[in-house]
Each structure stands twice: as C-alpha cells, then as structure tokens.
Amino acid sequence: MRFRHPDGSTVHLAYCTNVHPAETLGGVLAQLRDHCEPVRRRLGRDRLGIGLWLARDAAHALDTDPSALRGLRTELDRRGLEVVTLNGFPYEGFGAEEVKYRVYKPDWADPERLDHTTALARVLAGLLPDDVRDGTISTLPLAWRTAYDDERAQTARTALRTLAERLDAIEELTGRSLRVGLEPEPGCVVETTHDAIAPLTAIAHDRIGICVDTCHLATSFEDPHTALDALTEARVPVVKSQLSAALHAEHPHLPEVREALAVFAEPRFLHQTRTATAAGLRATDDLDEAVAGHALPDGAPWRAHFHVPLHAAPAAPLTSTLPVLKAALTRLVGGPVPLTRHLEVETYTWQALPPELRPRSRSQLAEGIAAELFLARDLLTDLGLKELP
C-alpha cells in the first residue's frame, strides 16, 4: 500500500511474511498464492506491499539463479504484490517448533551473516518495482548480549562497513539505493534505540541505520518522541519501522494478571519481559521466568515481547502497547518530512497466541492481517497521508 505524504514523497506500508513459515523458494511462491494475494483481495486493493522474509536457502536460490529471480518478480506482479523491504533478521528455521535463542544466530561477528545480507541486497535490487529506487532491509542488532566481547564487536563493525561498500557497488551497478537497519531488541547487544547510537555513529555510513520496531521500543519502556529525537540529533537514519504492539500488564502483582500472562508463555518464541523501576529496567529473558516467581519486581507495569495483533488487544486484565505505536507513528511520518518511508506491520505470532485466539484457517489469518493493515491505514490517513491507488 502506498501513501502520499504532505511533503510529496511516497510512504510504503507492507506486512511482513515471516508470519508464514517458508524456507525454500517454492515455499515463498506458495506464500504469495495462499496468503499474500488473499490478504490483498480482502483489502480491496490492486496492489499490496509485502515485507518479504527470505530464509537462507530461498535467498541463495534467488541470488545464484537470475531466472529464478525473474520468475519471482513476475509472480509478484501477477498477484498484485510489490516488495520494497525485506526482513533479514531470521536466518533460517523461523517456523520451527522452538525458535527461542536460535533466531540470533548467525550474528554480525559470523561471516554467514554478511554473506546472507549481501545476497538479500542483490535480490532486493532485482525485486524493486520499476518506479521505486530505494529499498531497505532490517537485520538483527549485532548479536545476543552473551558471548559478545570486544573482538567480536570489532569483527561485526568491520562486516557492516564491508556491507555498506557492497551496497554502494550495487547502486553503481543497478541504480537502486539500498539501506540496512539494525533492529534493537530486548536482550541483544543493541537492546534500545539509545544503544544503537554509539555503534552506528562508529560505523558512520548512511547506508547502515536503524529499524524501529514499536513492540521492542515499548517493551523496553522507551518514550517514542525522546528516542526518535535522539536518533535525529545523532544523525542516525531510520531506515524502516516495524509497526507492532507488545503485551502490557498494568498490575502484575495481582494473581489474576499473572494467570492471564501465563497463558501467553509458550515454547516457540522468546518473550523477553521488562519492568521500569527507579533504578532502571529489570528484565527476564522469557515470560515464563517472570510469571513463575519473583524474578521481576511487580510494583509497576510489565511489558512482554509478544507481538499481539494491532486491531485486537488482549482481554482484560491485559492490554497492548498500541498507544506507543501511535505515538511513534506520529513522530515517524506525522511531521513536515517523514523520518522513514518504509513501514511494515510485523505480527508473526498469530499461531503462538493462546489457542482460543489463534486463527483456525488460512481465511481467518488473512482476515486478521487485513484488519491490522486497515488499522495502520487509518492511522496514516489520520496523520494527513493520502492513500494512493
């Protein structure tokens, strides 16, 4: 979906396909048929943007076979779909029964991460619509915090500088300008937008910036306006933003709140949980650690890294951090000039929701994703953007 900003530029809205597990090119093509096109039809639009997730095997197939890449581009066009952004965070196995810490490997100190992201960039250059010059890729925020020492930090910085040089070369060859954004996430080396400023200014290249995920922003209790003002002041580019909402518990000391939270503790994804105290953030790596005992103080609200559907907040006594998303979006695209032009709804946890909230068919999933995009569309038009055909 495309929108005209009051400054005349085009803002793109997509939804991320990491909600549909696929490791191979064949699986990606099936996604377009079984999920993405049905979502577009429910929206009643001739064109729908998707934030494509390409696992290692699919990316390699497209990068090494020009005919396969042309075939994917043709299939996108045929189904009324377009790609201006890729989710390059998960490397493989995102549809596994247990993902947890595996999603952070390989990290930016491992050569596989540079190779994979370079392949994604070459693929994206071939997938961009004819009238679009700029593409973006989100990636993991350097590494999970453990086993990350000064030597690995230096290796990661070198890899990102090399990536920037490769992106320069891609533009010279194709005329397509690509940027990559580190996506701060709780528990990682770069947990917050504030944590991103030092490494990104050290890299000092405008092709490497930040991807602001509003669920992660909220989970770490960051104020959107303060965070985005600091990034602007530091001249850190906001490459893209993922629109998502975290799980919020206002009164975690109450037994009924703990019981409601425990229903969201599940074995597939990591659900880092945070609370803000006078001494700073207190944290657990997963929701079950928080609800099981006294790992977190419970005198103030808790937030958990669980991407809940934008249009459907959990039932009381829980809610979502949709207000944080709205505040961030106001700052991102509500001003005289947008801070980013690539927005991506990213609720990948539909099948990890409590059983009674999960979609029971492809049709129900498509309806849910379309409802999220309708909500995002309304937020954008309320900010003065005009939806384009």
Side-chain angles (χ1 to χ4, degrees):
M1 301 169 76
R2 298 187 184 191
F3 297 81
R4 182 72 68 204
H5 189 273
D7 76 342
S9 63
T10 300
V11 173
H12 293 265
L13 173 67
Y15 92 88
C16 186
T17 64
N18 62 354
V19 63
H20 313 305
E23 299 289 318
T24 65
L25 178 54
V28 171
L29 294 171
Q31 285 179 349
L32 306 185
R33 179 194 67 224
D34 296 339
H35 299 288
C36 302
E37 185 177 10
V39 171
R40 178 184 64 77
R41 293 185 181 280
R42 278 168 172 75
L43 290 166
R45 311 301 298 163
D46 293 332
R47 174 174 53 191
L48 172 65
I50 57 172
L52 198 60
W53 172 59
L54 298 172
R56 178 195 63 178
D57 289 349
H60 178 75
L62 292 165
D63 185 40
T64 57
D65 185 349
S67 65
L69 183 56
R70 289 193 298 270
L72 176 58
R73 172 67 185 274
T74 298
E75 190 70 2
L76 288 165
D77 292 341
R78 186 169 77 87
R79 298 193 182 279
L81 307 169
E82 66 178 11
V83 175
V84 303
T85 189
L86 300 181
N87 186 331
F89 195 139
Y91 180 70
E92 61 184 351
F94 201 61
E97 291 185 4
E98 182 177 337
V99 178
K100 298 290 184 180
Y101 296 94
R102 292 171 51 191
V103 76
Y104 306 107
K105 300 296 290 182
D107 63 37
W108 273 102
D110 299 320
E112 295 88 353
R113 178 60 63 173
L114 174 60
D115 292 343
H116 177 59
T117 309
T118 302
L120 291 176
R122 288 192 290 253
V123 169
L124 180 57
L127 293 180
L128 287 176
D130 292 339
D131 62 343
V132 174
R133 179 176 176 271
D134 299 320
T136 58
I137 303 170
S138 49
T139 189
L140 84 162
L142 299 181
W144 186 251
R145 68 182 185 278
T146 56
Y148 191 76
D149 55 20
D150 290 343
E151 181 179 356
R152 291 183 67 80
Q154 179 59 45
T155 301
R157 286 194 295 270
T158 299
L160 285 165
R161 291 191 183 103
T162 300
L163 175 66
E165 294 169 358
R166 293 178 180 179
L167 297 178
D168 285 340
I170 289 172
E171 182 173 13
E172 290 182 12
L173 183 65
T174 68
R176 303 303 177 91
S177 178
L178 307 180
R179 295 188 297 166
V180 171
L182 304 184
E183 181 186 332
E185 176 164 311
C188 292
V189 172
V190 175
E191 169 156 341
T192 65
T193 58
H194 176 77
D195 295 337
I197 291 175
L200 288 175
T201 53
I203 294 166
H205 200 297
D206 61 5
R207 293 209 186 268
I208 311 297
I210 192 170
C211 168
V212 176
D213 184 301
T214 58
C215 170
H216 303 171
L217 189 82
T219 301
S220 294
F221 287 86
E222 289 195 84
D223 174 72
H225 294 286
T226 301
L228 292 167
D229 285 347
L231 292 173
T232 300
E233 183 177 352
R235 298 186 177 180
V236 172
V238 181
V239 167
K240 64 185 278 190
S241 180
Q242 289 172 326
L243 306 182
S244 53
L247 193 62
H248 180 95
E250 186 69 18
H251 302 293
H253 65 285
L254 297 176
E256 60 269 27
V257 175
R258 294 287 186 103
E259 292 173 8
L261 282 170
V263 175
F264 284 84
E266 53 84 36
R268 185 172 174 186
F269 299 112
L270 205 60
H271 301 296
Q272 303 93 314
T273 305
R274 303 288 186 264
T275 186
T277 72
L281 281 184
R282 293 285 299 277
T284 63
D285 279 355
D286 215 344
L287 181 56
D288 55 0
E289 301 170 27
V291 299
H294 304 285
L296 288 182
D298 58 9
W302 288 1
R303 289 176 179 172
H305 172 216
F306 195 119
H307 291 224
V308 296
L310 302 186
H311 67 293
L318 305 178
T319 187
S320 81
T321 60
L322 184 62
V324 177
L325 183 160
K326 292 179 178 178
L329 196 60
T330 298
R331 183 71 178 86
L332 286 166
V333 300
V337 178
L339 297 184
T340 184
R341 294 180 175 87
H342 288 182
L343 306 172
E344 179 182 62
V345 171
E346 195 212 14
T347 305
Y348 59 83
T349 45
W350 281 94
Q351 298 302 336
L353 289 167
E356 66 275 11
L357 301 179
R358 293 175 196 166
R360 301 184 184 278
S361 64
R362 289 177 182 171
S363 177
Q364 286 186 358
L365 177 59
E367 289 170 2
I369 293 170
E372 290 191 292
L373 288 166
F374 275 132
L375 183 148
R377 179 202 62 185
D378 291 346
L379 293 178
L380 291 173
T381 56
D382 287 347
L383 290 171
L385 283 73
K386 180 181 178 181
E387 187 177 5
L388 298 174

